[in-house]
Amino acid sequence: MEFRRLYVLFTVILLCILVTSVCAGTDSLKQSGSTHTITDMAGAEVTIPTSITKVVNLWPASNSVMLCMGAGDLLAGTMDITKQNYWSQLVYPNIVNVPTVSDNAEELMKINPDLIITPSKETAEKLRGLGLPAVYLYFSDYDSMKKAFTLLGDILGGDYVNKAKKWSDLVDSQTTTVKSSIGDISESDRPVVYYIQGQTNQGLYTTFAAKSIMNDWISIAGGEFASKKLELDKNGAVTPEAILSLNPDIIIIGGFAEHDLYNELMNSSEWKDIKAVKNNRVYINPNGLFPWERFGMESALQIPFAASVIHPDLFKVNLVDEVKKFYTDFVGIDLTDKQAQYMIDGYGPNGEEYKNTGSSHPHS
């Protein structure tokens, strides 16, 4: 009998401990579960809701990332360039109804977002000073994209965490595959690649600086970036004398004005004797939710594309299949072969051509 009483007493005490622990755990989740503190890319600590449902995104590049992650329904404020993009409209048809916003605090307070994303440290600080949950999120190459997408995935939570990790793994695997295919090419044997920046039509002599993502994918793909050879230290114009005397082997044109620029280049008497033109090695860069060659999730596909045009004898790829698989895995939609080819050719999903539209946004 004594044993039975002790056994019952022990069981009751154990149950009380378990119940108390569960209740305490639940209270803890309520306290810390409604908000949490994250550290943005400037090192600022920002308190935001644990469950994010309304995001204002003040940068076209990171708007494209959210759409590529399948997070379009979280956008409560976006940019005109995102709304005008034909691929944005395919991926998230309601994008045309999302308000176009700026960093105007009064306007943002009316939206009352859970999160504001900006590529400007100053804007983030200004908005936080007014009580708005602004985070600095900026990326300009593959390494900073890995960090930024990981942070964005952690902020949004759920499957977005997995997609960010999957994207980083894809970039690594694409890089490994390309490098193993083309082998170790000496600098002297690397074809010189000139990139024309065509977000808007600023002519044939606008490019990116030597230290940019263009150098990243050109180098991975076994080329030599013209801006590196010319030691350009900032984005913008290069002199005609400099680039024409360099006589690039390959020219890649990107951005919304790429087709206009291509036609301009191919009809220019000034360029007709350049090796890239004479040898028919002028290429339009693929253009999806964002230009592949710039910064966005589709930039993972830029690596095999670049290798296929810089070293077509060494690297073969079925880009249509690559595009379709990427969109299934990340965006969650199945593209047709025709749609994938349109993207590769720099058009919209129904063959639409961008009529020299683009953004003058400093970070676009």
Side-chain angles (χ1 to χ4, degrees):
M1 289 292 292
E2 184 66 25
F3 173 81
R4 179 178 292 180
R5 281 197 298 270
L6 288 172
Y7 178 81
V8 171
L9 180 62
F10 175 77
T11 303
V12 170
I13 291 170
L14 182 60
L15 284 171
C16 288
I17 292 171
L18 287 171
V19 169
T20 302
S21 299
V22 170
C23 291
T26 303
D27 289 340
S28 176
L29 281 173
K30 284 179 180 176
Q31 273 191 329
S32 63
S34 59
T35 63
H36 65 163
T37 301
I38 61 100
T39 303
D40 74 5
M41 296 187 74
E45 292 189 344
V46 187
T47 300
I48 58 173
T50 303
S51 177
I52 300 292
T53 60
K54 292 172 68 178
V55 178
V56 166
N57 200 316
L58 299 175
W59 187 24
S62 56
N63 270 278
S64 79
V65 173
M66 287 187 63
L67 292 176
C68 211
M69 283 184 165
D73 59 345
L74 300 182
L75 286 170
T78 187
M79 312 291 288
D80 273 335
I81 187 174
T82 302
K83 295 171 70 167
Q84 294 163 2
N85 184 296
Y86 297 119
W87 290 99
S88 298
Q89 295 167 18
L90 175 76
V91 167
Y92 183 58
N94 194 52
I95 192 67
V96 296
N97 299 317
V98 177
T100 300
V101 293
S102 68
D103 61 2
N104 180 283
E106 185 178 350
E107 175 188 356
L108 293 170
M109 286 175 182
K110 289 177 182 176
I111 296 174
N112 191 28
D114 299 319
L115 176 72
I116 300 168
I117 295 173
T118 172
S120 164
K121 294 179 186 178
E122 293 76 17
T123 298
E125 289 171 3
K126 178 190 78 173
L127 295 177
R128 285 198 301 271
L130 297 170
L132 288 161
V135 299
Y136 169 70
L137 193 78
Y138 182 71
F139 40 89
S140 58
D141 55 25
Y142 289 109
D143 285 341
S144 58
M145 277 191 282
K146 287 178 181 179
K147 294 174 184 174
F149 299 172
T150 298
L151 175 60
L152 182 60
D154 289 343
I155 290 172
L156 300 181
D159 193 41
Y160 303 117
V161 176
N162 300 327
K163 285 187 178 181
K165 173 67 165 58
K166 190 172 184 178
W167 184 86
S168 294
D169 291 344
L170 177 62
V171 169
D172 291 342
S173 67
Q174 297 279 31
T175 300
T176 299
T177 299
V178 164
K179 285 186 173 181
S180 64
S181 296
I182 64 175
D184 188 16
I185 302 171
S186 66
E187 188 172 320
S188 60
D189 291 331
R190 289 173 173 252
V192 175
V193 182
Y194 174 54
Y195 168 74
I196 298 176
Q197 194 277 102
Q199 279 294 83
T200 56
N201 191 337
Q202 300 174 57
L204 302 174
Y205 300 98
T206 302
T207 188
F208 262 63
K211 292 182 179 180
S212 64
I213 192 172
M214 282 66 188
N215 185 62
D216 288 355
W217 52 257
I218 289 171
S219 177
I220 291 169
E224 184 77 4
F225 188 25
S227 294
K228 183 180 177 184
K229 290 189 74 71
L230 295 174
E231 299 181 344
L232 296 183
D233 59 0
K234 61 181 180 180
N235 300 338
V238 59
T239 65
E241 295 78 17
I243 193 62
L244 294 174
S245 63
L246 188 60
N247 196 13
D249 301 287
I250 297 165
I251 297 171
I252 296 176
I253 309 173
F256 296 104
E258 58 190 359
H259 295 99
D260 289 344
L261 287 164
Y262 178 89
N263 292 331
E264 189 177 327
L265 176 71
M266 299 307 286
N267 290 297
S268 169
S269 58
E270 198 171 34
W271 287 80
K272 65 181 176 64
D273 293 324
I274 296 299
K275 283 188 285 187
V277 177
K278 287 184 6 181
N279 297 328
N280 198 30
R281 301 201 69 186
V282 179
Y283 302 97
I284 293 285
N285 208 92
N287 206 343
L289 286 166
F290 211 69
W292 285 14
E293 77 277 10
R294 293 165 77 87
F295 6 90
M297 292 190 80
E298 291 156 325
S299 64
L301 298 169
Q302 180 68 13
I303 296 169
F305 164 75
S308 73
V309 298
I310 294 174
H311 288 290
D313 52 333
L314 298 176
F315 185 79
K316 310 289 184 185
V317 64
N318 186 326
L319 270 180
V320 167
D321 285 351
E322 291 282 327
V323 170
K324 290 174 67 178
K325 185 177 188 311
F326 181 91
Y327 262 66
T328 299
D329 290 350
F330 289 94
V331 188
I333 65 173
D334 296 325
L335 299 181
T336 66
D337 286 1
K338 192 172 186 178
Q339 287 174 321
Q341 190 61 58
Y342 276 143
M343 184 183 293
I344 294 164
D345 294 338
Y347 297 109
N350 296 308
E352 304 95 333
E353 184 173 345
Y354 295 95
K355 296 296 182 183
N356 193 25
T357 57
S359 172
S360 57
H361 193 288
H363 298 289
S364 65

